[in-house]
Amino acid sequence: MRFMLIHRVLEDDPASWEPNPELIERMNGFIEKLVANGALLTADGVQKAGSVVRRRGAAVKSTDGPFAEAKEVVGGFLLINAKDLAEATAVGEEYITCFAGVEEMSIEVRQVVEAEDIEPYLNK
């Protein structure tokens, strides 16, 4: 099964957006371990700047960041293979330790919808 691990950080915490050599070293070691055991599909950080596109009824509106209404914002993600949610959560618990200097953050672990998950809905 595929799982997306999304790390969320405080938008106004400089440590969340300015990686230091220790963080890079920890993250590289963690990524190498995931690659070696065949779990990693992809991993990326994201830039602080961005936009949000919202629809309310028929109205579509785009807003540039920073995102004043959000305390935590997405800082990056991993896409991994894991046998179940428990294994993916264990990866998330190790992943969060890479960010030792970040004041506050969370890792959201979500199973990815596969084609066979939606197949019953396509044949109605």
Side-chain angles (χ1 to χ4, degrees):
M1 290 182 259
R2 294 181 303 154
F3 289 86
M4 180 171 268
L5 285 68
I6 305 158
H7 78 263
R8 298 182 183 274
V9 295
L10 297 176
E11 185 178 35
D12 61 356
D13 179 16
S16 298
W17 303 103
E18 299 168 7
N20 59 55
E22 293 81 17
L23 170 62
I24 293 169
E25 185 177 326
R26 286 189 300 273
M27 186 61 73
N28 284 342
F30 177 65
I31 295 296
E32 287 172 7
K33 178 181 172 183
L34 291 176
V35 168
N37 70 24
L40 185 68
L41 297 172
T42 191
D44 279 302
V46 298
Q47 297 288 338
K48 187 174 182 178
S51 64
V52 174
V53 179
R54 287 191 173 89
R55 188 184 79 202
R56 291 193 171 102
V60 175
K61 182 178 180 182
S62 299
T63 307
D64 289 338
F67 311 105
E69 69 274 1
K71 180 181 176 186
E72 288 187 322
V73 294
V74 173
F77 67 93
L78 301 175
L79 186 62
I80 65 167
N81 279 317
K83 68 179 179 183
D84 56 24
L85 179 59
E87 182 176 273
T89 301
V91 172
E93 290 171 353
E94 186 174 355
Y95 181 31
I96 205 166
T97 65
C98 293
F99 301 90
V102 176
E103 180 182 323
E104 184 179 326
M105 70 175 303
S106 63
I107 306 285
E108 184 175 339
V109 180
R110 304 283 299 273
Q111 186 174 348
V112 174
V113 175
E114 304 292 352
E116 59 268 15
D117 297 331
I118 62 169
E119 195 170 292
Y121 301 99
L122 299 175
N123 297 322
K124 285 189 171 184

